[in-house]
Amino acid sequence: MPRAPQSFDVLIIGAGPSGAAAAMTARRAGLSTALIDKAAFPRAKLCGGLVTGRARTQYREIFGGELDPDLFQPHREIAFYADGTQLGAVERTPTLYLTMRWDMDAHLLDLALAEGVADFTGRRIDQIDTETPSVTLEDGTLLSGQILIGADGVNSAVARALFGRAFDPARIGFALEIEAPAGPASDMIRIDFDAASWGYGWRFPKTRSTTIGVGGLQTPNPDIKARLSAYRAALGNDGPCPVKGHFLPFGDFRRMPGRDRVLLAGDAAGLVDPITGEGIAHALQSGAAAGAAAAAAIASGRPHTALPRYRRALRPLHRGLRMAVCLRPLIFAPRLNPLFCHAFARSSVLKGAYLRLLAGEVEYPGLCLLVLRRLPGTALRYLKHR
Ligand SMILES: Cc1cc2nc3c(=O)[nH]c(=O)nc-3n(C[C@H](O)[C@H](O)[C@H](O)COP(=O)(O)OP(=O)(O)OC[C@H]3O[C@@H](n4cnc5c(N)ncnc54)[C@H](O)[C@@H]3O)c2cc1C
């Protein structure tokens, strides 16, 4: 005999940052909320673990309180490189934080569970029905909801159930990372703009390890393993380390983030910044927006209005990502990248703008205006210099 379903207002698949933010927001709005993840937490998630000022603002708004310095180590220095040459080091940046996702995601989940979210982590899913919507777990447990939020990452099973595939393989990004032994205390956060095509490399010095990675659009980087090896050699890192890879929805967001009573959030909705590669802040923001849209729709007695409400809430984020996609060739296209690096090395305004973008103090419309204003002069100076 089929089991009777356990009914909730909202079902959320995926307990990463977007799922935890959705769960916290929905629960705080008074909804009965189930959070499902195939992994038991803490669990590994490949990620640089750079938490920006933008992400910190989201964290404060959604979860309340400040970032715990035991989990999020503050840094205020960053160095930018291209072709092995330093383009500049900035001290006293707006604070950046480094974390391990193993710790951060378990922390966010704990906060959501403490709010009364029903815990279905460590439980594998057998079937997702996006029509009803409902979820059958592998042990036969049936969960039903008025609204389903797919927060299940770049390879989202919910997106596949809705649209046939989770992402467009021609437009997806890919990144490789290693966790190397911790380096000297003097190591700064380091970004190398040419470590990958249409992407970059990073070295993030943490308390117990150093995360080193390269990532960018997948198609122009068929040699990404060789890129990582070259980058490690340039950093003087050659010890044996397992190399891990993961897709990154790097500028290919879903214009329609769901269907009917199903919403997609975070990487499942493709919300990674196409220039900085930042995904945590947008995962938190979109997860919270999905939770809030679900709450408002259910309160109005019209759960099917959750998607248009959610889409409206995402408009500024979508507009910024569209602009970032337009701006991206100026930074990453092989012909223009030397011009960008030349300008970046000489301009404290550009470096400041990049950091203010990470801090959430400036958005892409403002950044585009700044770049357009400076472009003619920069191009002239570059041509004279060659
Ligand atoms: C190499 C790399 C480095 C990165 N570095 C940074 C960085 O430094 N800073 C930054 O801001 N962003 C970074 N990002 C991006 C960032 O990791 C993502 O944008 C962010 O994790 C998205 O959060 P999410 O909650 O949407 O998805 P995820 O964090 O991927 O969480 C999805 C959850 O869904 C669960 N799940 C998946 N499928 C199923 C299923 N079928 N059933 C049940 N559960 C399921 C998973 O177990 C997981 O817990 C990086 C990404 C990569 C690949």
Side-chain angles (χ1 to χ4, degrees), residues 9-10 12 19-34 57-66 107-118 287-288 290-296 299:
D9 293 319
V10 187
I12 300 166
M24 188 77 178
T25 307
R27 187 67 206 119
R28 283 204 165 156
L31 302 187
S32 60
T33 305
T57 303
Q58 293 297 332
Y59 174 90
R60 275 186 187 150
E61 282 174 12
I62 299 161
F63 296 95
E66 276 304 332
H107 168 64
L108 299 185
L109 173 64
D110 281 348
L111 293 174
L113 296 182
E115 204 63 32
V117 169

Side-chain angles (χ1 to χ4, degrees), residues 14 17-18 37-38 43 45 47-50 101 152 248 267 279-280:
S18 58
D37 200 297
K38 62 185 178 185
R43 58 99 178 87
K45 159 75 179 91
C47 182
L50 181 75
R101 291 288 299 272
D152 48 346
L248 187 67
D267 279 15
I280 294 170

Side-chain angles (χ1 to χ4, degrees), residues 100-243:
M100 295 301 291
R101 291 288 299 272
W102 174 272
D103 298 322
M104 175 182 122
D105 291 14
H107 168 64
L108 299 185
L109 173 64
D110 281 348
L111 293 174
L113 296 182
E115 204 63 32
V117 169
D119 183 5
F120 292 92
T121 56
R123 310 274 294 267
R124 296 193 78 84
I125 292 176
D126 183 35
Q127 271 182 26
I128 301 170
D129 182 341
T130 55
E131 300 286 322
T132 30
S134 62
V135 171
T136 311
L137 304 181
E138 258 186 8
D139 63 8
T141 304
L142 178 58
L143 309 173
S144 73
Q146 299 195 56
I147 290 166
L148 170 66
I149 298 175
D152 48 346
V154 61
N155 206 13
S156 168
V158 181
R160 276 183 275 135
L162 289 179
F163 301 114
R165 64 182 187 182
F167 54 77
D168 178 351
R171 297 158 66 114
I172 196 71
F174 189 75
L176 289 178
E177 256 185 8
I178 61 158
E179 218 54 55
S186 57
D187 274 358
M188 284 187 192
I189 292 180
R190 172 170 168 159
I191 302 283
D192 288 66
F193 282 117
D194 61 347
S197 290
W198 294 84
Y200 62 92
W202 58 91
R203 181 191 66 190
F204 293 161
K206 302 181 184 172
T207 317
R208 291 189 300 273
S209 64
T210 302
T211 308
I212 297 173
V214 293
L217 288 175
Q218 186 183 36
T219 315
N221 285 293
D223 55 347
I224 191 89
K225 273 192 184 158
R227 293 280 200 156
L228 178 65
S229 303
Y231 187 46
R232 288 182 64 187
L235 295 178
N237 171 275
D238 52 9
C241 275
V243 175

Side-chain angles (χ1 to χ4, degrees), residues 255-257 293 306-316 318:
R255 270 66 178 164
M256 183 52 76
L307 181 56
R309 289 171 194 270
Y310 178 48
R311 209 169 164 223
R312 262 199 305 282
L314 287 188
R315 247 183 228 155
H318 280 173

